[in-house]
Amino acid sequence: MRIDPVRQEIIDAPGHLLIVGGPGCGKSTIALLKAQTRLTALEPEQRILFLSFSRAAVRQITDRMSGVLDRASRQRLEVRTFHAFFLDVVRSHGRLLTGRPSSFITPDRERQIQADFDGDWKSERQRLATEEGRYVFDLLADTTATLLERSAALRALYSSIYPLVIVDEFQDTNTDQWRAIKAISGASTIICLADPDQRIFDHLDGVEEQRLDDAVAHLAPTPFDLSKDNHRSAGGGLLDYANAVLNNTFHAEPDTVRTWTYTPGYGVPWQTRVHKGVIAMQDYLSNQLGRTPTIAVLASVNSLLGQLSEVLATDTVTGDITLPAVEHALQWDPELTAAAGYVVASIMEWPGLPRVEAVARTVESLADFYRAKLTGGTAGARDKIKALDNGLVAFTSGKAIRSKTVKAVTAAYDAGISYTGRPVADWQTARDRLLGSSELGEVLKHARLLRLLNATDALAWGLSDGWDGQSAYRDAAATVRAVLAAEALTAAQQPPEPVSLMSMHRSKGKEFDGVVIVEGPYTGTLLDPGWDPERLRAQRRLLRVAITRARSAALFVRPQGSQRLTGMR
C-alpha cells in the first residue's frame, strides 16, 4: 500500500480512531500498519487485539498480516472472533458473577435443550447462566460486558493486556458487543473500522443504525474517510456499479459485470443456466488470472442453493453439450446438514447392534434433526418430534406403531443391510434407507449435501477406522460428530474452495475472484418494487455486499423481465 498523507496521518494519530470506507479501501491494512507502529512500545506480555465477526474474516485478516507484518509482529497481534474472545473471558472470570465455574452449552446442545423445554426459552437460558453458570452462545457478549462493567480490576487487567483494540465491521456490533468495547475504552485505545453501507444485519437483536453515532459520542475518535479508495477491484468498475445499485442511480454495466437471463418454465432450466455460468466464469477468470480462480455462487435464500448444489454435482446435458460436474462447497444450514449426517451414521451401525437398540438410535437421531429444525423456527417440527418419541415408545414396548416414519425405519432394519468396508459406497447405501415418509425425505435432502467425495475425505478416513472388518461400522455416529466438529473448528485455516455456494448474508467479510449472483424464477427475488422502502434499502445494501465480494468479475443470472438493479437514466 502506498502511504499517502491521509494514511500517514492515521498512523501518526493518537487516541481512538474511526476509519470508514467501502470494500477494498484498505481499512484493515492501514489498521495493521498502525498496529505495527505500536508494537515496539508494548511490554513483553502485552498484545494487540483485532476483533472480527466470523472465522472467514479472521482468516482473511490473518492472511493479510503475512503481507504486512513480519513474523515477530504477527505473533503479538491476536486476531479473534468476538465470540471466541468473549468465551475466554466468561470461562476465566464468570465465577465472579455466579460463584461457580462457568461452562458453555454448545449450539447443537442448546437446540436440543430448547426443543425439549416447554416455556420461555429466553428466561430459561438466563436462569441457566445466573443460577448454574452454564452459558449459551448468545449470552457470551452480555456476560462479558457485565463482567467488565462491574469490575474495575477486570477492566484494568484486559486493558493492560490489550492496550490497543481494533474492531472490524464496527457498524454491525450489537448492543452487548458495544458495551464490552466501551467498558475497556477508558484505558485501551479503540480503532473502529466501519462501512455504514455494509450494515446488513439489522434483523438481529441489538444491531442498530446509530452505532457509529454511539462511537462518536462516547469515544470522540479522530475520523478518517477512505471511501474514495478501492484496492480490491481497482479499475474494474465493480465498486462504482455496486454503489449505483445501492443508491438506485443509473450506471451501465461495466465490462466486469454481466447479466444472463432465462425464461421460467421454457427452454434451458435456470439451474442449467447457472451451471453454464459457473463454468464460463471459471474459464474466463482462469485465462485472465493465469491460475485457478475462486468463485462464489450467491443467492438471497438457501433453498436455491440446495437445488443448485444438486445440479452442479452431476454432469448436465444441454443440447449437444455436456456441462461437467463442478466440485464445490455448499455453506448452508450446517446444523441441519450435520444432524442429517448423524442419522445416516446411525444406520451404518445397524449390523453390529441388536434390533431394538439399532432402531432406537436412528429414531432418536431423527428426533434430534427435527429439534434442530424447531429451534430454526420450522413450523410443525415439535409435532414431528412428539410423533417420533411416541412411535419409539410403542416400538420398544411391543405395541402398535402409529408413526409412519418409525414403521419405515423398522421395516428398513428388518429388510437387512450389508456393507463392504468402502465408506463412500456404504454411506450411500445407508443414506438410501431414508425412504418411506416425508420426514425421512426431508432428512435425505439434507444428507445429500454432506457428500463423501473421495476416499481421502476426513469422514471417509474416520469411518474406515471404525470398520469392524466384517459387517458394521463401530460408533459411526460418534465418529461423524467428532469429524464435523473438528472440521468446523479448523474451517478458518483452510484455503477457500474453488467454487462455494452460500447466502449473500454469509458472504460478508469474504473475497473471491468472481461471484455469480442468482435469482430464482419464483423465489430469491433480488428486487421487488412492491416492497416497502425500508426493505428495499436493506436489500440494496445486501446486493452491494454481494457484488463487492468479487475482485474481478460478477455475473447475474435472473429471470427475463426482472426489476432493474440500477436507476433509469
Side-chain angles (χ1 to χ4, degrees):
M1 175 181 289
R2 182 177 63 87
I3 305 301
D4 57 22
V6 172
R7 285 169 174 77
Q8 189 61 53
E9 191 176 350
I10 292 173
I11 291 174
D12 296 337
H16 306 307
L17 306 182
L18 173 59
I19 305 173
V20 300
C25 72
K27 299 187 297 294
S28 300
T29 302
I30 195 60
L32 292 173
L33 292 173
K34 170 79 172 178
Q36 187 176 40
T37 65
R38 291 286 302 271
L39 290 173
T40 56
L42 299 184
E43 298 295 329
E45 70 278 5
Q46 290 182 314
R47 300 289 185 269
I48 291 174
L49 180 63
F50 195 121
L51 292 174
S52 195
F53 281 91
S54 66
R55 293 193 301 268
V58 165
R59 182 181 182 276
Q60 288 205 341
I61 296 299
T62 303
D63 289 347
R64 194 163 295 155
M65 283 168 53
S66 63
V68 176
L69 307 179
D70 58 36
R71 182 176 181 180
S73 298
R74 294 198 301 271
Q75 290 177 341
R76 303 193 66 185
L77 198 155
E78 292 185 17
V79 186
R80 312 189 67 185
T81 64
F82 277 97
H83 279 95
F85 175 67
F86 294 156
L87 179 59
D88 279 353
V89 175
V90 174
R91 277 177 171 164
S92 300
H93 308 287
R95 185 191 292 267
L96 295 173
L97 295 175
T98 64
R100 65 180 67 207
S102 301
S103 62
F104 178 52
I105 301 173
T106 60
D108 60 334
R109 180 58 181 152
E110 181 190 355
R111 283 189 295 274
Q112 293 177 7
I113 297 172
Q114 181 183 354
D116 292 334
F117 179 76
D118 188 13
D120 182 3
W121 176 244
K122 284 191 175 182
S123 298
E124 174 62 10
R125 70 182 192 180
Q126 194 67 47
R127 186 198 67 78
L128 289 170
T130 56
E131 296 183 12
E132 301 182 20
R134 301 172 64 201
Y135 297 91
V136 302
F137 191 82
D138 287 341
L139 286 185
L140 294 176
D142 170 64
T143 305
T144 299
T146 301
L147 282 165
L148 292 171
E149 289 167 346
R150 293 185 183 180
S151 174
L154 203 59
R155 293 196 299 273
L157 172 65
Y158 277 95
S159 288
S160 68
I161 298 172
Y162 304 112
L164 175 63
V165 178
I166 302 168
V167 185
D168 196 21
E169 303 286 2
F170 179 79
Q171 75 281 349
D172 285 329
T173 52
N174 65 27
T175 301
D176 294 327
Q177 291 161 343
W178 166 233
R179 286 171 54 211
I181 295 163
K182 187 165 55 173
I184 61 172
S185 65
S188 295
T189 299
I190 309 297
I191 298 179
C192 303
L193 311 180
D195 179 0
D197 292 328
Q198 286 202 70
R199 182 174 48 81
I200 61 173
F201 294 111
D202 289 3
H203 59 287
L204 300 180
D205 289 344
V207 178
E208 299 171 339
E209 186 175 358
Q210 80 278 4
R211 188 67 65 226
L212 268 63
D213 295 333
D214 294 338
V216 170
H218 184 81
L219 302 176
T222 303
F224 293 93
D225 187 352
L226 304 181
S227 57
K228 293 182 179 179
D229 298 334
N230 175 22
H231 301 287
R232 179 178 300 171
S233 56
L238 281 167
L239 181 58
D240 289 342
Y241 182 76
N243 286 335
V245 172
L246 172 69
N247 298 311
N248 195 24
T249 56
F250 175 78
H251 196 293
E253 286 186 350
D255 292 340
T256 50
V257 177
R258 288 287 183 270
T259 298
W260 289 8
T261 61
Y262 61 88
T263 303
Y266 296 93
V268 176
W270 67 272
Q271 299 96 327
T272 303
R273 190 76 164 140
V274 176
H275 192 163
K276 185 175 182 180
V278 171
I279 292 174
M281 177 75 81
Q282 285 180 315
D283 293 342
Y284 169 76
L285 290 176
S286 294
N287 292 330
Q288 292 287 316
L289 304 175
R291 58 173 171 79
T292 300
T294 56
I295 296 171
V297 181
L298 308 178
S300 59
V301 294
N302 286 329
S303 58
L304 294 178
L305 300 173
Q307 295 178 58
L308 288 173
S309 181
E310 291 289 331
V311 173
L312 291 175
T314 60
D315 294 347
T316 300
V317 178
T318 173
D320 297 330
I321 301 174
T322 298
L323 302 174
V326 175
E327 288 194 17
H328 63 279
L330 176 63
Q331 299 182 27
W332 169 47
D333 283 347
E335 296 85 5
L336 279 178
T337 301
Y342 304 149
V343 176
V344 177
S346 74
I347 297 173
M348 299 184 79
E349 298 176 349
W350 279 1
L353 297 174
R355 180 174 183 266
V356 172
E357 184 178 354
V359 172
R361 286 191 184 188
T362 298
V363 174
E364 288 166 356
S365 296
L366 286 165
D368 286 343
F369 174 85
Y370 281 96
R371 288 186 176 95
K373 288 185 75 69
L374 174 64
T375 55
T378 299
R382 190 179 296 279
D383 291 338
K384 295 181 187 298
I385 296 168
K386 185 177 181 180
L388 287 166
D389 289 343
N390 290 340
L392 182 56
V393 170
F395 167 76
T396 55
S397 61
K399 297 179 180 179
I401 302 170
R402 299 180 63 183
S403 167
K404 187 176 181 180
T405 299
V406 177
K407 286 181 180 179
V409 172
T410 305
Y413 178 88
D414 290 341
I417 192 168
S418 61
Y419 298 122
T420 64
R422 292 178 290 127
V424 175
D426 291 342
W427 179 274
Q428 293 169 345
T429 297
R431 192 182 66 188
D432 290 344
R433 295 302 188 272
L434 296 173
L435 300 172
S437 74
S438 59
E439 288 81 9
L440 291 172
E442 179 69 11
V443 176
L444 176 61
K445 181 179 72 174
H446 287 273
R448 283 174 173 162
L449 306 178
L450 190 63
R451 297 187 183 87
L452 293 173
L453 295 176
N454 52 61
T456 61
D457 183 272
L459 282 172
W461 279 114
L463 291 169
S464 293
D465 290 341
W467 174 244
D468 66 4
Q470 296 179 348
S471 62
Y473 290 84
R474 296 184 301 269
D475 300 322
T479 297
V480 171
R481 190 178 297 273
V483 169
L484 292 181
E487 290 291 309
L489 289 173
T490 60
Q493 283 73 49
Q494 302 302 317
E497 296 287 341
V499 177
S500 301
L501 276 62
M502 68 189 73
S503 69
M504 290 193 283
H505 277 95
R506 190 181 287 271
S507 73
K508 188 176 180 182
K510 301 178 176 68
E511 294 181 19
F512 306 90
D513 294 313
V515 297
V516 179
I517 301 174
V518 180
E519 181 173 356
Y522 310 111
T523 187
T525 303
L526 296 184
L527 282 179
D528 188 329
W531 290 343
D532 63 74
E534 182 52 40
R535 183 177 179 185
L536 282 169
R537 283 193 295 271
Q539 184 69 5
R540 288 188 177 277
R541 287 196 298 269
L542 182 59
L543 284 167
R544 179 179 182 266
V545 167
I547 296 166
T548 55
R549 298 312 89 202
R551 288 186 284 260
S552 299
L555 170 66
F556 288 90
V557 180
R558 311 185 65 198
Q560 190 74 34
S562 297
Q563 172 73 15
R564 285 179 56 91
L565 300 182
T566 59
M568 300 290 288
R569 183 183 291 277

